[in-house]
Amino acid sequence: MPAAGGGRAGPGPLRQRGTRRLQGTPPASPLSPRPPAGRRAALGLVTLLSFASRFHRLPEPPHVCWDETHFGKMGSYYINRTFFFDVHPPLGKMLIGLAGYLSGYDGTFPFQKPGDRYEQHNYMGMRGFCAFLGSCLVPFAYLTVLELSKSLPAALLTAFILIFDTGCITLSQYILLDPILMFFLMGAVLSMVKCNSCADRPFSASWWLWLSLTGVNLAGAMGVKFVGLFVVLLVGLNTINDLWDLLGNLNLSLVTFGKHFLARVLCLILLPLTLYMAMFAVHFAVLNKSGPGDGFFSSAFQSQLIGNNLHNVSIPEQDGYPLSCHCDPYPGGLCRGEGIYTYLHKDLNNLWIIKKHDSDADSSSPVEFVRHGDIIRLEHKETSRNLHSHQHEAPLTRKHFQVTGYGINGTGDSNDFWRIEVVGRRAGRLIKVLRSKIRLTHVATGCILGSSGKTLPKWGWEQVEVTCTPYVKETPNSLWNFEDHINPKLPNISLDVLKPSFVEILLESHMVMIRGNSGLKPKDNEVTSKPWHWPINYQGLRFSGVNETDYRVYLLGNPVVWWLNLFTIGLYLLIAISTAVALKRGVQLTSEHKGELSRVVLCGGGQVALGWLLHYLPFFMMGRVLYFHHYFPAMLFSSMLTGITWDTLLKFFSQFLSPSTTARRVYEGGIVALILLIVYSFYLFHPLSYGMIGPMASDPSSPMAGLRWMDSWEF
C-alpha cells in the first residue's frame, strides 16, 4: 500500500507543476532563448542574403544614374584635389573618392548628366563600396532587434524585411550618400543598444568599446549629412535617461556618478567632435586646388587655393581713392547693361572704380584712404555706369528697391551715393582688402545693397537678383568685401598674412553649407515629394530611363513591406498604450510577463519608435526641397519596430493556446507567413531594383501592368 500510495502521490505534483508552467509562462518556443550557435547561423544567413541582393547585377546599368552625377563627380574632385562646394559635410564624398582611388579609378570621368556611359572608366569600386555599406544595414538591424527583444524570430523578421525591400536594394547599389549615412546611423544605434546591455558591468572593456563606437558612428553620421544630427539626438536622449536613472540609484556614490558622466562626455561629445573636426581638416588639406567651389567662400579662403587668382599675390593692404577692385559679395557681383546681378565666377564685369561722392579723382590725385562711414560712388569699369538705386520695386522681390547701372561716363545723380560701413568698426577706421566685411547703405533711401538669392529668368541671364532692402540691416547676403586692389602708389603685402585660421574656415564652411541647404530648389522636371507621401509609398524616383526602350530602374519601396510597416506603427501605438495601462492598473500578470512587456514593448519598442519619430517628423518643418529617399533612415526604424511588434503580438496570442506544441506552431507559423509574404512580394516587384526593359506599366501589355497599384507610380 505505501508503495502504491507513493506511486499515486507522485504524479499529482508533477501535473501541478506542469499546469503552473502553462499558466505562468508563454509557450516554450517563443520565449526559450535560442542557442548561440543558432543565432550565429541566422546572422550568417541574413548577412549572406543581404550581400547577395545588393551585389546582384551591380554593374547594371553601365551609365550614370540619378545623383551619381553629383557624388561621383565629387569623388573625382577628391582624386584630383580640386576644391568644390556641397551642401553636405564631406565624409561621404571623401569615402567615395577613396574607394574610387583604391579601385583604380583615375578621376577623369566627367559625370556630366544621367545616362552618360562609363565606357572604360572603373566605376565599380565606388558602387561596390556603397553596396557593401548598404549590405551591412541588415546584420546591424538584426543584432539591434535581437538585443532589444532577445527574440530570434523578431530579429529574423526585421532582417527579411530589409533584405527584400526593393527601395533599400536600389538605394544601396549606386554612388550615393544614403547607404553611407545609414551605415553610420545603424552603427550608432547598434552600439548604443549594446552599451546599454553592458549597464550591469560599467567601465568594463566591452562597455568602453561600445560607448566609444557609439561616438565614432555619431561622428560618421554627422560627417555625411546634417540629418545625422537626428541620431545624435536619439543617443543624447538615451544618455540623459541613463544618467537620470543612475542619479536615482542611492547605492551609487556621487563620485561614481561623476565618472559615468565624464565617460559619456568623453565618448559621446569630445570624441565625435574631435573626429568631426579632423574630417574637415583632411577635407581642406586634400582639396588644395582652385575649382568650382571657390566662389561660395570668402576671398581670404580663396587665396589659399592653388590656381586661384588670389593665390600668392601681393596687393595694398588698405583701400585708397581712386582704385579698381573686384567688389565681391557672398557671391560675386556683375553688371550687364543697366542690370545689376550676381554670379559665382569672376571676370572683368566684377571690376569697379571707387570714387568720392563729390569729386572725380583720377590716378594722378594724391592717395586718400577709404574709411568707415565715407560716402562713395561705385563706377563700373566696363560700362562707366554708376551703381544706382531708387524707389522702384525690384524685379522679383516685393518691397525691395531696384538696383541698376545708371549714368554716362560716371556722371549720374544723388541716387548713386552709398555709405560704406565696416562691420564692427568705428567711424574713420581704414578699410582693408579681404579682411573688412562691408555694408553699402544707399544714402537717399537708407536701404542696404544685397543679394536676394532668387534666380532671375532668361532675360536676366539666369543670374541672382541684386536688390536694395529697406528692412534687413545685416544678413550674409548683404556683406561684401574688396577682393583685389590696384594702386601702384601703395605698398603691397602678401595675402599669406591674411590666411584664416582653421576654426574660421570651419565656421565659414558650415555657414555656407547651411545657407546652401536651406536654399535648395527643385530643378526642371524633377520629382519632389512631401513627407506625408513617404510612409504610404506614394511616389518613387526614376533612377534610370524614362522610355520603354530604356533600361529603367525605379526607386520604390516594396509595397507589402512599406504598408505593413505603416500598419504596424499604429498597431504598436495601440499595444504600447494597452501595456502601459495594464501595468499601471495592476492587471494580474506574472513577474516574467511584466518584465518582458516592460523591457520589450515599452523600452525596446519605445526606443525604436522614438528613432522613427526623430528621423521623420522634422521634415515637416523643413523649407527646403524634399525627396522620397529622405525617408529611408526612418524606414529602418519602422522595419525594426515591425519585427518587435509582430513577434510580441504572436507571442501574446499563442500563450492562450494549449498544448504547447499548438502554441509553438501558431507562433512560428505566423512569423513564417509574414516572411513568405515579404519574399513573394519581392519576387513580384524585383524588376524595380534590377532593371526593366519594355512597355511602361501604364501599357496593358507590360509585364508590370498588374503591379501598378497606385496611379502615382511611374515605372
Side-chain angles (χ1 to χ4, degrees), residues 163-209:
I163 290 170
F164 295 108
D165 178 60
T166 51
C168 287
I169 291 174
T170 303
L171 209 59
S172 298
Q173 289 194 308
Y174 298 94
I175 306 170
L176 304 172
L177 297 185
D178 301 270
I180 308 174
L181 169 68
M182 292 190 290
F183 172 84
F184 287 114
L185 184 155
M186 285 302 300
V189 173
L190 174 60
S191 301
M192 176 189 74
V193 169
K194 286 285 191 180
C195 184
N196 289 344
S197 70
C198 298
D200 58 339
R201 48 187 190 281
F203 308 111
S204 63
S206 58
W207 186 87
W208 278 110
L209 172 65

Side-chain angles (χ1 to χ4, degrees), residues 281-447:
V282 173
H283 167 74
F284 290 119
V286 172
L287 302 183
N288 62 354
K289 298 179 182 178
S290 178
D294 294 16
F296 290 91
F297 287 76
S298 67
S299 305
F301 173 81
Q302 294 178 41
S303 68
Q304 308 304 309
L305 297 173
I306 299 172
N308 189 280
N309 66 325
L310 296 176
H311 184 66
N312 283 341
V313 300
S314 298
I315 58 176
E317 181 179 13
Q318 281 88 24
D319 294 328
Y321 301 102
L323 60 84
S324 298
C325 66
H326 290 290
C327 191
D328 276 358
Y330 297 85
L334 162 68
C335 174
R336 285 187 184 271
E338 295 193 2
I340 303 293
Y341 319 128
T342 66
Y343 59 51
L344 294 176
H345 65 272
K346 305 170 188 176
D347 59 21
L348 295 177
N349 283 308
N350 299 136
L351 292 171
W352 297 82
I353 300 172
I354 297 184
K355 296 183 176 181
K356 287 187 173 182
H357 74 287
D358 56 357
S359 67
D360 284 312
D362 54 33
S363 58
S364 62
S365 304
V367 173
E368 293 183 60
F369 291 112
V370 183
R371 299 177 183 274
H372 173 84
D374 284 1
I375 297 177
I376 63 171
R377 283 181 292 139
L378 282 168
E379 180 184 324
H380 189 243
K381 191 172 187 300
E382 291 296 298
T383 63
S384 298
R385 296 182 184 273
N386 293 331
L387 185 68
H388 178 95
S389 185
H390 44 215
Q391 292 184 347
H392 292 275
E393 195 170 78
L396 297 183
T397 306
R398 296 186 59 189
K399 299 184 179 180
H400 284 210
F401 296 152
Q402 186 183 65
V403 178
T404 64
Y406 178 78
I408 300 175
N409 295 325
T411 301
D413 60 23
S414 60
N415 281 326
D416 302 339
F417 297 166
W418 301 84
R419 179 180 296 105
I420 188 167
E421 301 170 346
V422 183
V423 177
R425 292 291 182 92
R426 297 189 301 273
R429 298 296 296 270
L430 297 179
I431 293 174
K432 298 184 178 182
V433 174
L434 295 184
R435 283 184 287 186
S436 294
K437 292 183 179 181
I438 65 169
R439 285 186 303 267
L440 291 172
T441 302
H442 193 241
V443 174
T445 64
C447 62

